[in-house]
Amino acid sequence: MNSSNPSDAWNYIKRATFTAKGGEDSLPPLKTLNQYFASVVQSTQNTQLTVPAGCNNEDSFHFAELSTYEVNKALSSIKSTTASGHDKFPGFVLKRIAGALSPNITLIYNSTIQNNMVPSCWKMAEVRAIYKNKGSKSDPNNYRPISVLPILGRTLEKLVATQLYTYCDEHNILPPQQFGFRRYSSCEMALFAATDAWMKSVDSGSYAGAILLDLSKAFDTVPHQLLLTELHDIGCSTEVLSWFCNYLTDRSQRVITYEEITDWIMVSRGFPQGSGLSPLLFSIFVRNLPRHCTSPVFQFADDTTLAAEDPSLLVVAEKLKASFEAVKSFCDSHGLKINPEKTQLIVFKKPAKTIPMISI
């Protein structure tokens, strides 16, 4: 109650009156959660990251020097109630004195870019386990780890992501099948595009089939070295690759609740859910997935839907099978895993049409 952050007091009141949503009383033992989350984000290959070899081209992506105006605008847009990281630096303070801090913060940010080094304290994430509202609450697999990084580190990530996204947009690096985290795009647009295609197929008298793929721990299991290779392939300069190499190295996390804190554990793959860079980096990582499919694909971040249409349901099944095998091959080569338990098949048809029994 003595905290300078108003949200701390309200969180205490909610817990004291048992009105907090979700609650943490039913969580598995924190050590169990910490060990489970650690098993997901730790690579089995303990090799040091290296910057992919290559030469800079004229159109290679380079970080531009940040201006005081940009940093001041970013700090001023921080929500007063945003969660602070392990450093406990409150967002409302940064927001209130952004004008006074921005010149010095700009110097620090530009120094990290020029020296290809990210402060280690900005790579330390506090993880809160959020129940997925499915399955047993005692099973750690039914919790989503939400990482809370220091606000200054998150702000730098957003500024870097803005520059990288602009480069991707100008060079058409992200495929049109990817609707997630893109300008002038949204989940609704992905739904409109998919349902419109399926309705046209049904109206023409064809069957429309869709496989809804679920990737297990997609953001948490991306191999860092392979991600650096993908960044090299899209045209990132050696300096940018060196910055990302340092950004991905020596990351750590710990699981916390209001009453408990676990020990820090090292993170050697994936990137935190809650980072300003994670969605864009994942989109870059899987940008070539649609090229491997012979049928239409709809993507929203790590959610992927394969589609096919034909008057013959057998042809639809064969097309979907070929696309699924292509996507599985792509995922295997990129260290990603399809979760068969959550992958679903849907067939759309006119009410009068029947679904015959087929075997492939």
Side-chain angles (χ1 to χ4, degrees), residues 16-69:
T17 56
F18 302 99
T19 57
K21 293 184 179 179
E24 295 178 333
D25 296 335
S26 57
L27 283 175
L30 217 58
K31 287 186 178 179
T32 302
L33 274 176
N34 196 37
Q35 292 171 356
Y36 173 74
F37 290 152
S39 68
V40 175
V41 299
Q42 290 179 338
S43 174
T44 55
Q45 300 177 350
N46 297 321
T47 56
Q48 187 174 0
L49 293 182
T50 58
V51 177
C55 299
N56 294 338
N57 300 319
E58 291 184 2
D59 57 348
S60 294
F61 170 65
H62 298 268
F63 287 134
E65 184 174 313
L66 297 171
S67 67
T68 303
Y69 170 78

Side-chain angles (χ1 to χ4, degrees), residues 49 222-231 233 285 333-335:
L49 293 182
V222 172
H224 287 168
Q225 190 62 58
L226 191 53
L227 174 61
L228 290 175
T229 301
E230 296 292 342
L231 290 171
D233 291 345
F285 187 69
S333 66
H334 283 67

